[in-house]
Amino acid sequence: MSTDSAYSVAAGQSAAAASWLADPDPTTRTPQKTLGQEDFLKLLVAQMTSQDPLNPKADLDSIAQMAQFSALEQTKTLQSELAALRSDQRLLQANALLGRTVALQADAETIVAGIVDAVRIEAGTPQIVVNGQSYDLSQLVSVTPTTVQASTPQHTQSAPQS
């Protein structure tokens, strides 16, 4: 940036601020909700290149910022992994209901009972199928083992072999 520019960047200002000063029209900027690790590194490089070499900024500040950013990234990763784990858990719960007799709260006044015939995934959420209709797991009221009527095998006598 030249010295005769209407906008100057003082030492210590970020690269993001410099780009905003160069183009103050808010309609051409695209706002971002969060800063990533790459953005932090750009800011760090901008700070280091604009600092006074005779009076350098303490390295401890940069190290502390980097440690905080690293912890934030790990927290974000953990959060997304927990969301995936919850999704997998819901699918396992739905699969465990296959063949079981369930009662479901269809609406405020209706309770539907039947055997879980299938599990469908709708919009990333498992739905159990009872009597041909899909229901969310949150509608589940009770689960009971399905009683299987034992069929008695019919013994037939075979003709004596000679």
Side-chain angles (χ1 to χ4, degrees):
M1 207 181 274
S2 66
T3 56
D4 62 337
S5 172
Y7 304 102
S8 64
V9 178
Q13 287 184 329
S14 69
S19 68
W20 182 80
L21 288 173
D23 185 15
D25 183 14
T27 59
T28 60
R29 292 183 293 131
T30 305
Q32 294 181 343
K33 292 182 180 180
T34 59
L35 293 176
Q37 188 170 7
E38 187 176 318
D39 297 320
F40 173 77
L41 292 175
K42 286 180 183 178
L43 289 171
L44 183 64
V45 168
Q47 285 177 346
M48 293 182 83
T49 56
S50 64
Q51 73 181 354
D52 182 7
L54 300 176
N55 188 13
K57 185 177 178 182
D59 289 338
L60 295 177
D61 292 341
S62 299
I63 293 171
Q65 288 176 343
M66 189 61 139
Q68 289 174 344
F69 190 78
S70 177
L72 177 64
E73 286 294 317
Q74 289 175 352
T75 302
K76 285 181 180 180
T77 302
L78 182 62
Q79 183 180 10
S80 67
E81 288 175 358
L82 282 174
L85 186 61
R86 276 192 305 265
S87 177
D88 291 346
Q89 182 64 28
R90 282 188 223 113
L91 182 60
L92 287 172
Q93 283 178 320
N95 284 338
L97 295 173
L98 283 169
R100 300 272 182 119
T101 302
V102 295
L104 301 152
Q105 188 78 43
D107 57 39
E109 301 171 1
T110 310
I111 292 185
V112 175
I115 296 176
V116 178
D117 300 321
V119 174
R120 289 188 187 141
I121 306 294
E122 295 179 11
T125 304
Q127 305 281 316
I128 55 176
V129 178
V130 177
N131 302 331
Q133 180 69 35
S134 293
Y135 297 95
D136 191 73
L137 290 175
S138 64
Q139 295 174 284
L140 195 60
V141 176
S142 69
V143 179
T144 56
T146 303
T147 56
V148 179
Q149 295 186 8
S151 60
T152 56
Q154 301 204 354
H155 295 285
T156 57
Q157 283 187 326
S158 57
Q161 294 186 358
S162 37

PDB file of all heavy atoms in Angstrom, residues 99-127:
ATOM      1  N   GLY A  99     -38.717 -56.598  15.015  1.00  0.00           N
ATOM      2  CA  GLY A  99     -39.371 -57.816  15.484  1.00  0.00           C
ATOM      3  C   GLY A  99     -40.011 -57.690  16.862  1.00  0.00           C
ATOM      4  O   GLY A  99     -40.657 -58.616  17.327  1.00  0.00           O
ATOM      5  N   ARG A 100     -39.848 -56.555  17.517  1.00  0.00           N
ATOM      6  CA  ARG A 100     -40.440 -56.346  18.844  1.00  0.00           C
ATOM      7  C   ARG A 100     -41.828 -55.726  18.707  1.00  0.00           C
ATOM      8  O   ARG A 100     -42.120 -55.027  17.754  1.00  0.00           O
ATOM      9  CB  ARG A 100     -39.577 -55.404  19.684  1.00  0.00           C
ATOM     10  CG  ARG A 100     -38.176 -55.877  19.945  1.00  0.00           C
ATOM     11  CD  ARG A 100     -38.144 -56.720  21.193  1.00  0.00           C
ATOM     12  NE  ARG A 100     -36.819 -57.162  21.503  1.00  0.00           N
ATOM     13  CZ  ARG A 100     -36.184 -56.853  22.607  1.00  0.00           C
ATOM     14  NH1 ARG A 100     -36.736 -56.077  23.500  1.00  0.00           N
ATOM     15  NH2 ARG A 100     -34.997 -57.329  22.825  1.00  0.00           N
ATOM     16  N   THR A 101     -42.662 -55.954  19.715  1.00  0.00           N
ATOM     17  CA  THR A 101     -43.974 -55.316  19.768  1.00  0.00           C
ATOM     18  C   THR A 101     -43.807 -53.988  20.492  1.00  0.00           C
ATOM     19  O   THR A 101     -43.240 -53.938  21.581  1.00  0.00           O
ATOM     20  CB  THR A 101     -44.991 -56.203  20.516  1.00  0.00           C
ATOM     21  OG1 THR A 101     -45.069 -57.462  19.840  1.00  0.00           O
ATOM     22  CG2 THR A 101     -46.353 -55.552  20.552  1.00  0.00           C
ATOM     23  N   VAL A 102     -44.291 -52.912  19.857  1.00  0.00           N
ATOM     24  CA  VAL A 102     -44.141 -51.583  20.429  1.00  0.00           C
ATOM     25  C   VAL A 102     -45.489 -50.872  20.493  1.00  0.00           C
ATOM     26  O   VAL A 102     -46.418 -51.211  19.767  1.00  0.00           O
ATOM     27  CB  VAL A 102     -43.156 -50.718  19.604  1.00  0.00           C
ATOM     28  CG1 VAL A 102     -41.753 -51.282  19.659  1.00  0.00           C
ATOM     29  CG2 VAL A 102     -43.624 -50.554  18.175  1.00  0.00           C
ATOM     30  N   ALA A 103     -45.563 -49.903  21.370  1.00  0.00           N
ATOM     31  CA  ALA A 103     -46.705 -48.989  21.415  1.00  0.00           C
ATOM     32  C   ALA A 103     -46.152 -47.601  21.142  1.00  0.00           C
ATOM     33  O   ALA A 103     -45.118 -47.211  21.699  1.00  0.00           O
ATOM     34  CB  ALA A 103     -47.386 -49.037  22.774  1.00  0.00           C
ATOM     35  N   LEU A 104     -46.826 -46.867  20.257  1.00  0.00           N
ATOM     36  CA  LEU A 104     -46.365 -45.552  19.827  1.00  0.00           C
ATOM     37  C   LEU A 104     -47.458 -44.516  20.000  1.00  0.00           C
ATOM     38  O   LEU A 104     -48.631 -44.816  19.763  1.00  0.00           O
ATOM     39  CB  LEU A 104     -45.952 -45.597  18.351  1.00  0.00           C
ATOM     40  CG  LEU A 104     -44.849 -46.593  18.020  1.00  0.00           C
ATOM     41  CD1 LEU A 104     -44.965 -47.072  16.603  1.00  0.00           C
ATOM     42  CD2 LEU A 104     -43.504 -45.943  18.252  1.00  0.00           C
ATOM     43  N   GLN A 105     -47.081 -43.317  20.391  1.00  0.00           N
ATOM     44  CA  GLN A 105     -48.020 -42.201  20.522  1.00  0.00           C
ATOM     45  C   GLN A 105     -48.103 -41.536  19.144  1.00  0.00           C
ATOM     46  O   GLN A 105     -47.270 -40.713  18.784  1.00  0.00           O
ATOM     47  CB  GLN A 105     -47.515 -41.208  21.564  1.00  0.00           C
ATOM     48  CG  GLN A 105     -48.492 -40.121  21.908  1.00  0.00           C
ATOM     49  CD  GLN A 105     -49.569 -40.608  22.855  1.00  0.00           C
ATOM     50  OE1 GLN A 105     -49.297 -41.317  23.810  1.00  0.00           O
ATOM     51  NE2 GLN A 105     -50.802 -40.245  22.566  1.00  0.00           N
ATOM     52  N   ALA A 106     -49.124 -41.911  18.340  1.00  0.00           N
ATOM     53  CA  ALA A 106     -49.269 -41.379  16.980  1.00  0.00           C
ATOM     54  C   ALA A 106     -49.650 -39.905  17.005  1.00  0.00           C
ATOM     55  O   ALA A 106     -49.133 -39.113  16.225  1.00  0.00           O
ATOM     56  CB  ALA A 106     -50.290 -42.186  16.201  1.00  0.00           C
ATOM     57  N   ASP A 107     -50.571 -39.529  17.878  1.00  0.00           N
ATOM     58  CA  ASP A 107     -50.945 -38.128  18.089  1.00  0.00           C
ATOM     59  C   ASP A 107     -51.408 -37.997  19.537  1.00  0.00           C
ATOM     60  O   ASP A 107     -51.236 -38.919  20.325  1.00  0.00           O
ATOM     61  CB  ASP A 107     -52.007 -37.656  17.079  1.00  0.00           C
ATOM     62  CG  ASP A 107     -53.270 -38.493  17.088  1.00  0.00           C
ATOM     63  OD1 ASP A 107     -53.712 -38.905  18.188  1.00  0.00           O
ATOM     64  OD2 ASP A 107     -53.831 -38.742  16.004  1.00  0.00           O
ATOM     65  N   ALA A 108     -51.992 -36.890  19.894  1.00  0.00           N
ATOM     66  CA  ALA A 108     -52.358 -36.631  21.289  1.00  0.00           C
ATOM     67  C   ALA A 108     -53.324 -37.657  21.851  1.00  0.00           C
ATOM     68  O   ALA A 108     -53.333 -37.920  23.049  1.00  0.00           O
ATOM     69  CB  ALA A 108     -52.946 -35.225  21.426  1.00  0.00           C
ATOM     70  N   GLU A 109     -54.135 -38.262  20.997  1.00  0.00           N
ATOM     71  CA  GLU A 109     -55.177 -39.174  21.474  1.00  0.00           C
ATOM     72  C   GLU A 109     -55.006 -40.622  21.025  1.00  0.00           C
ATOM     73  O   GLU A 109     -55.714 -41.497  21.507  1.00  0.00           O
ATOM     74  CB  GLU A 109     -56.544 -38.671  20.992  1.00  0.00           C
ATOM     75  CG  GLU A 109     -56.867 -37.281  21.478  1.00  0.00           C
ATOM     76  CD  GLU A 109     -58.117 -36.719  20.813  1.00  0.00           C
ATOM     77  OE1 GLU A 109     -58.730 -37.422  19.996  1.00  0.00           O
ATOM     78  OE2 GLU A 109     -58.457 -35.570  21.121  1.00  0.00           O
ATOM     79  N   THR A 110     -54.099 -40.884  20.108  1.00  0.00           N
ATOM     80  CA  THR A 110     -54.012 -42.207  19.501  1.00  0.00           C
ATOM     81  C   THR A 110     -52.710 -42.910  19.859  1.00  0.00           C
ATOM     82  O   THR A 110     -51.631 -42.355  19.678  1.00  0.00           O
ATOM     83  CB  THR A 110     -54.095 -42.101  17.963  1.00  0.00           C
ATOM     84  OG1 THR A 110     -55.219 -41.307  17.617  1.00  0.00           O
ATOM     85  CG2 THR A 110     -54.202 -43.469  17.329  1.00  0.00           C
ATOM     86  N   ILE A 111     -52.842 -44.128  20.347  1.00  0.00           N
ATOM     87  CA  ILE A 111     -51.689 -44.988  20.581  1.00  0.00           C
ATOM     88  C   ILE A 111     -51.803 -46.154  19.612  1.00  0.00           C
ATOM     89  O   ILE A 111     -52.838 -46.820  19.532  1.00  0.00           O
ATOM     90  CB  ILE A 111     -51.623 -45.477  22.038  1.00  0.00           C
ATOM     91  CG1 ILE A 111     -51.321 -44.298  22.948  1.00  0.00           C
ATOM     92  CG2 ILE A 111     -50.582 -46.574  22.187  1.00  0.00           C
ATOM     93  CD1 ILE A 111     -51.098 -44.641  24.394  1.00  0.00           C
ATOM     94  N   VAL A 112     -50.746 -46.376  18.864  1.00  0.00           N
ATOM     95  CA  VAL A 112     -50.691 -47.444  17.869  1.00  0.00           C
ATOM     96  C   VAL A 112     -49.788 -48.540  18.413  1.00  0.00           C
ATOM     97  O   VAL A 112     -48.710 -48.261  18.930  1.00  0.00           O
ATOM     98  CB  VAL A 112     -50.139 -46.916  16.529  1.00  0.00           C
ATOM     99  CG1 VAL A 112     -49.970 -48.037  15.528  1.00  0.00           C
ATOM    100  CG2 VAL A 112     -51.015 -45.810  15.985  1.00  0.00           C
ATOM    101  N   ALA A 113     -50.218 -49.784  18.276  1.00  0.00           N
ATOM    102  CA  ALA A 113     -49.403 -50.914  18.713  1.00  0.00           C
ATOM    103  C   ALA A 113     -49.180 -51.841  17.533  1.00  0.00           C
ATOM    104  O   ALA A 113     -50.025 -51.958  16.652  1.00  0.00           O
ATOM    105  CB  ALA A 113     -50.089 -51.661  19.852  1.00  0.00           C
ATOM    106  N   GLY A 114     -48.026 -52.466  17.509  1.00  0.00           N
ATOM    107  CA  GLY A 114     -47.719 -53.408  16.446  1.00  0.00           C
ATOM    108  C   GLY A 114     -46.277 -53.860  16.519  1.00  0.00           C
ATOM    109  O   GLY A 114     -45.527 -53.463  17.414  1.00  0.00           O
ATOM    110  N   ILE A 115     -45.919 -54.690  15.570  1.00  0.00           N
ATOM    111  CA  ILE A 115     -44.561 -55.229  15.505  1.00  0.00           C
ATOM    112  C   ILE A 115     -43.735 -54.348  14.564  1.00  0.00           C
ATOM    113  O   ILE A 115     -44.207 -53.959  13.492  1.00  0.00           O
ATOM    114  CB  ILE A 115     -44.584 -56.690  15.003  1.00  0.00           C
ATOM    115  CG1 ILE A 115     -45.333 -57.556  16.018  1.00  0.00           C
ATOM    116  CG2 ILE A 115     -43.171 -57.213  14.786  1.00  0.00           C
ATOM    117  CD1 ILE A 115     -45.515 -58.994  15.584  1.00  0.00           C
ATOM    118  N   VAL A 116     -42.510 -54.051  14.968  1.00  0.00           N
ATOM    119  CA  VAL A 116     -41.613 -53.260  14.131  1.00  0.00           C
ATOM    120  C   VAL A 116     -41.161 -54.147  12.978  1.00  0.00           C
ATOM    121  O   VAL A 116     -40.496 -55.159  13.170  1.00  0.00           O
ATOM    122  CB  VAL A 116     -40.403 -52.732  14.932  1.00  0.00           C
ATOM    123  CG1 VAL A 116     -39.455 -51.958  14.032  1.00  0.00           C
ATOM    124  CG2 VAL A 116     -40.863 -51.882  16.093  1.00  0.00           C
ATOM    125  N   ASP A 117     -41.568 -53.728  11.756  1.00  0.00           N
ATOM    126  CA  ASP A 117     -41.269 -54.517  10.556  1.00  0.00           C
ATOM    127  C   ASP A 117     -39.973 -54.102   9.882  1.00  0.00           C
ATOM    128  O   ASP A 117     -39.317 -54.929   9.244  1.00  0.00           O
ATOM    129  CB  ASP A 117     -42.406 -54.353   9.529  1.00  0.00           C
ATOM    130  CG  ASP A 117     -43.746 -54.824  10.063  1.00  0.00           C
ATOM    131  OD1 ASP A 117     -43.779 -55.844  10.767  1.00  0.00           O
ATOM    132  OD2 ASP A 117     -44.752 -54.151   9.777  1.00  0.00           O
ATOM    133  N   ALA A 118     -39.622 -52.821   9.982  1.00  0.00           N
ATOM    134  CA  ALA A 118     -38.450 -52.311   9.267  1.00  0.00           C
ATOM    135  C   ALA A 118     -37.954 -51.035   9.931  1.00  0.00           C
ATOM    136  O   ALA A 118     -38.629 -50.459  10.776  1.00  0.00           O
ATOM    137  CB  ALA A 118     -38.816 -52.032   7.810  1.00  0.00           C
ATOM    138  N   VAL A 119     -36.784 -50.606   9.497  1.00  0.00           N
ATOM    139  CA  VAL A 119     -36.202 -49.328   9.918  1.00  0.00           C
ATOM    140  C   VAL A 119     -35.889 -48.551   8.649  1.00  0.00           C
ATOM    141  O   VAL A 119     -35.252 -49.074   7.743  1.00  0.00           O
ATOM    142  CB  VAL A 119     -34.918 -49.525  10.753  1.00  0.00           C
ATOM    143  CG1 VAL A 119     -34.261 -48.202  11.062  1.00  0.00           C
ATOM    144  CG2 VAL A 119     -35.225 -50.276  12.031  1.00  0.00           C
ATOM    145  N   ARG A 120     -36.361 -47.325   8.573  1.00  0.00           N
ATOM    146  CA  ARG A 120     -36.094 -46.446   7.436  1.00  0.00           C
ATOM    147  C   ARG A 120     -35.279 -45.252   7.919  1.00  0.00           C
ATOM    148  O   ARG A 120     -35.454 -44.791   9.037  1.00  0.00           O
ATOM    149  CB  ARG A 120     -37.395 -45.914   6.834  1.00  0.00           C
ATOM    150  CG  ARG A 120     -38.183 -46.929   6.101  1.00  0.00           C
ATOM    151  CD  ARG A 120     -39.346 -46.260   5.385  1.00  0.00           C
ATOM    152  NE  ARG A 120     -40.197 -47.299   4.818  1.00  0.00           N
ATOM    153  CZ  ARG A 120     -41.500 -47.265   4.796  1.00  0.00           C
ATOM    154  NH1 ARG A 120     -42.141 -46.223   5.295  1.00  0.00           N
ATOM    155  NH2 ARG A 120     -42.198 -48.237   4.266  1.00  0.00           N
ATOM    156  N   ILE A 121     -34.446 -44.741   7.040  1.00  0.00           N
ATOM    157  CA  ILE A 121     -33.701 -43.524   7.335  1.00  0.00           C
ATOM    158  C   ILE A 121     -34.348 -42.405   6.523  1.00  0.00           C
ATOM    159  O   ILE A 121     -34.343 -42.444   5.300  1.00  0.00           O
ATOM    160  CB  ILE A 121     -32.212 -43.646   6.948  1.00  0.00           C
ATOM    161  CG1 ILE A 121     -31.582 -44.866   7.592  1.00  0.00           C
ATOM    162  CG2 ILE A 121     -31.470 -42.368   7.306  1.00  0.00           C
ATOM    163  CD1 ILE A 121     -31.493 -44.828   9.083  1.00  0.00           C
ATOM    164  N   GLU A 122     -34.925 -41.437   7.213  1.00  0.00           N
ATOM    165  CA  GLU A 122     -35.559 -40.292   6.563  1.00  0.00           C
ATOM    166  C   GLU A 122     -34.893 -39.022   7.067  1.00  0.00           C
ATOM    167  O   GLU A 122     -34.922 -38.743   8.263  1.00  0.00           O
ATOM    168  CB  GLU A 122     -37.057 -40.272   6.855  1.00  0.00           C
ATOM    169  CG  GLU A 122     -37.802 -41.456   6.251  1.00  0.00           C
ATOM    170  CD  GLU A 122     -39.288 -41.460   6.569  1.00  0.00           C
ATOM    171  OE1 GLU A 122     -39.807 -40.448   7.074  1.00  0.00           O
ATOM    172  OE2 GLU A 122     -39.920 -42.497   6.307  1.00  0.00           O
ATOM    173  N   ALA A 123     -34.303 -38.281   6.144  1.00  0.00           N
ATOM    174  CA  ALA A 123     -33.582 -37.041   6.473  1.00  0.00           C
ATOM    175  C   ALA A 123     -32.501 -37.287   7.524  1.00  0.00           C
ATOM    176  O   ALA A 123     -32.310 -36.479   8.431  1.00  0.00           O
ATOM    177  CB  ALA A 123     -34.552 -35.956   6.924  1.00  0.00           C
ATOM    178  N   GLY A 124     -31.818 -38.417   7.429  1.00  0.00           N
ATOM    179  CA  GLY A 124     -30.737 -38.728   8.349  1.00  0.00           C
ATOM    180  C   GLY A 124     -31.169 -39.237   9.705  1.00  0.00           C
ATOM    181  O   GLY A 124     -30.346 -39.484  10.567  1.00  0.00           O
ATOM    182  N   THR A 125     -32.483 -39.414   9.907  1.00  0.00           N
ATOM    183  CA  THR A 125     -33.010 -39.861  11.192  1.00  0.00           C
ATOM    184  C   THR A 125     -33.682 -41.212  11.013  1.00  0.00           C
ATOM    185  O   THR A 125     -34.513 -41.370  10.122  1.00  0.00           O
ATOM    186  CB  THR A 125     -34.041 -38.843  11.732  1.00  0.00           C
ATOM    187  OG1 THR A 125     -33.421 -37.566  11.800  1.00  0.00           O
ATOM    188  CG2 THR A 125     -34.531 -39.233  13.105  1.00  0.00           C
ATOM    189  N   PRO A 126     -33.355 -42.193  11.861  1.00  0.00           N
ATOM    190  CA  PRO A 126     -34.007 -43.499  11.728  1.00  0.00           C
ATOM    191  C   PRO A 126     -35.473 -43.439  12.150  1.00  0.00           C
ATOM    192  O   PRO A 126     -35.827 -42.787  13.126  1.00  0.00           O
ATOM    193  CB  PRO A 126     -33.203 -44.411  12.665  1.00  0.00           C
ATOM    194  CG  PRO A 126     -32.478 -43.510  13.584  1.00  0.00           C
ATOM    195  CD  PRO A 126     -32.330 -42.193  12.904  1.00  0.00           C
ATOM    196  N   GLN A 127     -36.310 -44.087  11.375  1.00  0.00           N
ATOM    197  CA  GLN A 127     -37.742 -44.202  11.652  1.00  0.00           C
ATOM    198  C   GLN A 127     -38.069 -45.689  11.722  1.00  0.00           C
ATOM    199  O   GLN A 127     -37.585 -46.465  10.903  1.00  0.00           O
ATOM    200  CB  GLN A 127     -38.557 -43.564  10.508  1.00  0.00           C
ATOM    201  CG  GLN A 127     -38.195 -42.126  10.193  1.00  0.00           C
ATOM    202  CD  GLN A 127     -38.820 -41.170  11.170  1.00  0.00           C
ATOM    203  OE1 GLN A 127     -39.982 -41.299  11.510  1.00  0.00           O
ATOM    204  NE2 GLN A 127     -38.051 -40.202  11.618  1.00  0.00           N
TER     205      GLN A 127
END
